Amino acid sequence: ISQAFLRATRTTFKESRNKDYIKYGDDNKYPDYLTYLFNKSAKHSAIVSGKAFYIFGEGYENGEVVVNRLGDTLNDVSKRAILDIEIYGGFRWEIIWNAARKVQEIYHVDYTTIRVGKNGGYYFKECWDINDREEEVFMPAFNPNSPVGSQLYAYNEYRPKTKYYPLPEYIGSNNFIETDIEISKYYLSAIRN
């Protein structure tokens, strides 16, 4: 990741003029920045992973119930959701209803692939890079009063003054996490030289 990426990544959430979704950061890639911090700082990764591990504990009593065609259990999708909460401040699940208006399947959705729609609902895209030509796919928001088809359940941790997207608990320490990453790069470079 370049220094320009780190400098360009801001936590502002604003409407795109010619798009139907709210941008997630100035470059619309703020979740990728949070993923970068998690993957590149050993200390940060250990803290976040440890918190998620202890929050999940032994899982649900009925946690081995399979909740989708991929064979994921309730414990599987819950573990992923807890890790997403610790990294991003929220998680996303795709809920699929059956004809009897009951939840048929639950899928964990990669948090980085979803953006909030201007007029409700959400947009899915594998990669939100500006140069990527893939079209966004609309997903209606979860609504238990209208249990039809596929819907996206979005959970966001509460934080004052945030409207569209959550912020992680550790946001105040992002500079320290970046410093940890840069120090490790510096030492590696010094040793190689």
Side-chain angles (χ1 to χ4, degrees):
I1 301 268
S2 70
Q3 292 300 318
F5 172 77
L6 295 176
R7 283 192 300 275
T9 306
R10 302 283 184 256
T11 57
T12 57
F13 311 134
K14 56 187 173 186
E15 293 185 12
S16 300
R17 284 186 216 138
N18 57 349
K19 299 291 183 178
D20 293 327
Y21 58 83
I22 307 295
K23 286 174 67 177
Y24 200 165
D26 285 353
D27 60 355
N28 198 29
K29 294 183 64 141
Y30 192 69
D32 293 330
Y33 167 71
L34 297 176
T35 304
Y36 167 79
L37 295 180
F38 176 73
N39 288 333
K40 292 297 182 179
S41 170
K43 292 174 190 170
H44 175 56
S45 179
I47 291 167
V48 167
S49 297
K51 280 183 71 180
F53 175 80
Y54 286 110
I55 290 168
F56 181 73
E58 294 180 13
Y60 294 103
E61 205 170 286
N62 302 355
E64 295 310 312
V65 172
V66 174
V67 295
N68 61 44
R69 285 181 230 153
L70 299 177
D72 293 331
T73 65
L74 180 59
N75 281 341
D76 293 334
V77 294
S78 296
K79 276 184 196 173
R80 294 177 196 141
I82 291 167
L83 185 60
D84 281 357
I85 290 170
E86 294 306 313
I87 295 173
Y88 309 106
F91 71 87
R92 309 295 185 243
W93 280 352
E94 180 181 11
I95 307 295
I96 298 177
W97 300 93
N98 63 19
R101 298 178 159 234
K102 302 284 182 196
V103 173
Q104 180 175 335
E105 296 181 89
I106 302 172
Y107 291 92
H108 172 265
V109 178
D110 179 355
Y111 186 87
T112 65
T113 63
I114 301 295
R115 298 296 182 268
V116 174
K118 287 181 188 176
N119 301 313
Y122 298 88
Y123 286 87
F124 168 86
K125 189 174 174 182
E126 281 292 333
C127 177
W128 288 91
D129 191 289
I130 287 174
N131 299 323
D132 186 31
R133 299 287 180 226
E134 175 191 3
E135 285 295 314
E136 306 89 27
V137 177
F138 179 76
M139 296 181 77
F142 176 75
N143 183 351
N145 298 321
S146 179
V148 181
S150 171
Q151 298 176 344
L152 190 84
Y153 176 77
Y155 171 79
N156 295 334
E157 291 271 286
Y158 171 74
R159 181 176 285 267
K161 301 272 187 183
T162 58
K163 184 174 179 182
Y164 301 109
Y165 298 105
L167 294 172
E169 283 183 358
Y170 60 83
I171 190 157
S173 62
N174 281 2
N175 290 341
F176 295 104
I177 298 167
E178 281 187 41
T179 301
D180 179 51
I181 294 167
E182 294 305 314
I183 287 172
S184 70
K185 288 179 187 177
Y186 172 79
Y187 282 136
L188 180 61
S189 176
I191 290 168
R192 285 182 174 163
N193 289 332

